[in-house]
Amino acid sequence: MRPSSFMGLCGSALNLAQLLLIVCPAFILFGYNQSNLGGLVSVTDFTNHFPRIDTVHTEGEQKSSNATIQGVVVATFTLGALFGCLSCSYTSDRFGRRIVILAGAILTVVGEVLEASSFQLAQLIIGRVILGAGVGMLSGTVPTWQSECSSSSNRGKHVVLDGLFISIGYILQAWINLGFYQVKTGSASWRAPIAIPIFFSLLLSLAILAMPESPRWLSQQGRMQEARSTLAALKGLSDDDASIIDELSAIERSLEQSGRTAASLGDMLKMGQDRLLYRFCLCILLQFYQQMSGGNLISVYSTVIFQEGLRMDSETSRILSGGTLTWKLLSCFAGFFAIDRFGRRFVLMVSGTGMATCMMGLAVATSFPHSNFGAQVASVFFIFLFNFFIPIGFLGANFLYCTEVAPTKLRVAMSSISTANHWLWNFAVTMITPVAINTIGYQYYIVFTCIGFCIPISVYFFYPETMGRSLEEIDLIFRNSPSVFSTVRYARENPHLALEHVLEHEKGEIRHEENVEESLGRSIPNLGQVIQCGLRREAMDAWVHHKTPTPE
């Protein structure tokens, strides 16, 4: 029997199509639009159209006021992404992963058109909010859809590719902005860079219609035949293959143990047998670390850091910004090869330690006067080095881990709310950074240093390893561990916890109980009468004991 297919593709060919046609454009949109406006705020024609966010040609109080407004305008994208991501906790389970991805892609088209055609600041803000909402929906749903469609052996590499695609988005906007910066007159210098990602939005909108739905979502909806066909197509096997039947049974069993009820925030705030609150806190803290270790600061405001923080000229700042982001893309391959070789814990701890060290070096280097050439060279070096460490663990692995530790019925809700937390802190950093660089300077980087050094400590004690495990097996790790504080040790001591063995053990216990009941039924046919007689005898003995006087 031939396996099912989508667009005539199955197995590895279908997986590759998912990566190139859905995941790649979705996360290019993420990186491109998140950092795009930060590199355009100093373009002359842009400041002429929007003088209220001009910090290049103003001084004193006016510059300070404009810096605040500039931060708010740039950050409205992340505010839209916050609400778009939060909406996924309901819509992805209600309508499916594919429909939400399609809706997110359409919103990005609308937002990009509004933003590129802006003549007033209000229209620019509305466009950024809508664009942010679309990107937020994509960031909250695509990693979940991707992990649910990937096998356990390749899930890490597949999802870490998200970071690679985000970096491609960063690079495209940096070099495109530099190219159009050479257009000295007319609005093409900033409208064209904003409009270019419309191509990726349209590609994503069309491609998702031909892609498979998540087999785990289909199972959750009780559409088992569709789930089996989709799973078979993703693995390139026939529908009746033993491995397909086994995996589908494991998904069904996991759903039965966690219940088929809809996800709710209340469930995530209760510990329970599944330790949902513990898992939710792991996700929230990890996405907090991603932002407050300085990742968005360097990606979005690298041009501003070079131009206003280090007092370099505009063109040199753009060239260095493009160089740092290109280096960031090349560094993604370190995370790609490490994630399924050394594990999630290793890459998160190495990445966190490296980022904190770089922020400490940047704080020291920028504390010297701008005239100190050696300090400027050191500052540039630490920014480049930072962009080596962040892709290792916090440009894809953080999204991966959040989708892995969440149970099936709450996977999208937990992932989307934790990613919304990512956008919340993204908003804070984006809004504060222009003001902070102009006021407190090097002291701003000390905050990121302190938070960054907390990453390896918390990962070591609280984040269990998930590499090489199925999503259902990870669920068992949290359910079976003795306590929150021993979950990491339990995962380490049970590296090959087989879901099938647990299921067989439970089935054996059920069969044993049934045999005991059957034996009792045969040996004591009038069991109910015997129990009643025994109860009457116990009552009589108690009455006699009560009436009999106790000897002195």
Side-chain angles (χ1 to χ4, degrees):
M1 182 178 177
R2 296 185 60 185
S4 304
S5 64
F6 292 84
M7 299 189 302
L9 303 174
C10 64
S12 58
L14 180 57
N15 293 330
L16 182 61
Q18 287 179 300
L19 283 173
L20 296 181
L21 298 179
I22 305 300
V23 180
C24 179
F27 282 97
I28 285 178
L29 289 170
F30 183 124
Y32 192 106
N33 290 302
Q34 181 183 18
S35 57
N36 189 31
L37 204 63
L40 296 175
V41 291
S42 59
V43 174
T44 302
D45 192 77
F46 187 86
T47 58
N48 290 339
H49 274 84
F50 309 109
R52 288 297 288 124
I53 56 176
D54 179 13
T55 59
V56 179
H57 308 101
T58 53
E59 298 291 340
E61 291 185 4
Q62 184 63 51
K63 181 176 182 177
S64 178
S65 174
N66 286 7
T68 303
I69 297 173
Q70 181 189 107
V72 173
V73 172
V74 174
T76 51
F77 170 84
T78 59
L79 194 62
L82 170 66
F83 291 106
C85 199
L86 281 174
S87 71
C88 297
S89 61
Y90 171 75
T91 56
S92 286
D93 279 331
R94 177 67 177 84
F95 303 108
R97 311 334 186 200
R98 290 169 65 247
I99 295 298
V100 175
I101 294 173
L102 175 62
I106 293 172
L107 284 178
T108 60
V109 175
V110 175
E112 286 154 353
V113 169
L114 286 173
E115 201 175 347
S117 61
S118 296
F119 284 92
Q120 299 294 329
L121 192 60
Q123 183 180 342
L124 180 69
I125 292 172
I126 292 171
R128 284 193 66 74
V129 171
I130 294 174
L131 175 58
V135 171
M137 292 170 72
L138 296 177
S139 68
T141 307
V142 171
T144 302
W145 175 77
Q146 186 184 7
S147 65
E148 290 181 337
C149 292
S150 300
S151 63
S152 58
S153 59
N154 294 319
R155 188 173 60 242
K157 290 180 180 178
H158 283 181
V159 180
V160 166
L161 281 173
D162 298 354
L164 179 69
F165 298 140
I166 291 172
S167 294
I168 292 175
Y170 287 147
I171 289 173
L172 286 175
Q173 68 82 23
W175 293 115
I176 288 171
N177 285 356
L178 177 61
F180 280 95
Y181 178 74
Q182 308 307 318
V183 180
K184 300 301 182 182
T185 58
S187 59
S189 58
W190 60 273
R191 292 191 191 276
I194 293 175
I196 284 174
I198 292 175
F199 165 76
F200 297 105
S201 299
L202 294 175
L203 173 62
L204 178 59
S205 303
L206 296 173
I208 191 60
L209 297 174
M211 287 294 157
E213 182 55 89
S214 160
R216 286 170 172 83
W217 181 80
L218 291 170
S219 298
Q220 190 175 2
Q221 303 304 308
R223 295 155 61 177
M224 302 309 299
Q225 185 55 48
E226 291 180 64
R228 176 181 293 188
S229 299
T230 301
L231 202 57
L234 291 167
K235 293 182 178 294
L237 301 171
S238 62
D239 289 14
D240 56 359
D241 188 90
S243 63
I244 299 298
I245 295 172
D246 289 344
E247 184 164 352
L248 204 58
S249 298
I251 294 171
E252 268 287 277
R253 183 59 178 172
S254 179
L255 285 170
E256 288 172 4
Q257 288 184 336
S258 60
R260 291 183 179 270
T261 55
S264 69
L265 182 60
D267 290 335
M268 288 183 282
L269 298 179
K270 300 172 185 176
M271 189 65 76
Q273 181 184 2
D274 293 332
R275 295 195 170 88
L276 297 178
L277 179 59
Y278 171 37
R279 300 197 217 186
F280 184 50
C281 289
L282 293 181
C283 297
I284 289 290
L285 187 60
L286 199 61
Q287 297 291 26
F288 167 79
Y289 282 149
Q290 201 278 340
Q291 285 302 310
M292 294 308 294
S293 59
N296 193 51
L297 166 70
I298 300 298
S299 298
V300 176
Y301 284 114
S302 54
T303 302
V304 174
I305 291 172
F306 289 130
Q307 186 171 349
E308 298 186 23
L310 300 178
R311 299 293 191 271
M312 297 180 179
D313 65 84
S314 183
E315 188 163 352
T316 302
S317 298
R318 282 170 170 75
I319 292 173
L320 285 174
S321 177
T324 59
L325 296 173
T326 303
W327 170 244
K328 186 176 189 176
L329 170 66
L330 298 175
S331 301
C332 286
F333 290 99
F336 177 79
F337 289 111
I339 190 71
D340 280 328
R341 283 177 172 81
F342 303 108
R344 286 42 161 168
R345 284 164 51 81
F346 176 83
V347 297
L348 291 172
M349 287 191 287
V350 169
S351 182
T353 304
M355 290 189 296
T357 303
C358 292
M359 278 293 165
M360 181 171 62
L362 188 61
V364 173
T366 54
S367 66
F368 290 91
H370 298 301
S371 57
N372 190 318
F373 179 75
Q376 283 197 324
V377 171
S379 299
V380 173
F381 168 76
F382 281 117
I383 291 174
F384 271 82
L385 188 60
F386 182 93
N387 278 338
F388 169 76
F389 281 110
I390 186 171
I392 294 176
F394 282 89
L395 202 62
N398 51 313
F399 294 107
L400 166 68
Y401 196 88
C402 291
T403 61
E404 286 183 325
V405 300
T408 301
K409 70 166 185 173
L410 289 167
R411 183 162 292 125
V412 173
M414 197 172 287
S415 176
S416 61
I417 292 174
S418 63
T419 306
N421 176 65
H422 157 98
W423 287 113
L424 175 64
W425 292 103
N426 189 318
F427 173 79
V429 171
T430 305
M431 190 173 70
I432 292 169
T433 295
V435 179
I437 289 176
N438 283 309
T439 53
I440 61 176
Y442 76 92
Q443 299 173 56
Y444 187 46
Y445 305 115
I446 297 175
V447 176
F448 299 103
T449 301
C450 297
I451 295 174
F453 277 121
C454 294
I455 295 174
I457 299 172
S458 55
V459 170
Y460 181 82
F461 286 107
F462 295 107
Y463 286 74
E465 184 57 70
T466 59
M467 180 182 68
R469 299 183 186 273
S470 70
L471 297 176
E472 289 69 38
E473 188 181 354
I474 296 169
D475 203 31
L476 284 174
I477 289 291
F478 286 96
R479 186 179 296 131
N480 295 344
S481 63
S483 69
V484 167
F485 297 99
S486 59
T487 303
V488 172
R489 186 178 70 252
Y490 181 82
R492 185 171 58 247
E493 293 173 351
N494 296 273
H496 303 293
L497 182 64
L499 183 64
E500 291 78 7
H501 293 168
V502 175
L503 297 182
E504 284 300 321
H505 176 68
E506 291 181 354
K507 290 177 182 176
E509 289 182 342
I510 293 171
R511 285 195 295 268
H512 174 69
E513 291 173 0
E514 290 174 347
N515 292 336
V516 170
E517 291 174 359
E518 185 179 350
S519 299
L520 284 172
R522 285 197 303 267
S523 60
I524 312 177
N526 297 319
L527 183 61
Q529 296 178 6
V530 173
I531 292 174
Q532 290 178 2
C533 292
L535 291 174
R536 284 198 297 268
R537 180 180 293 275
E538 289 176 3
M540 181 63 72
D541 289 342
W543 183 83
V544 170
H545 178 74
H546 176 71
K547 290 295 183 180
T548 303
T550 304
E552 295 294 333

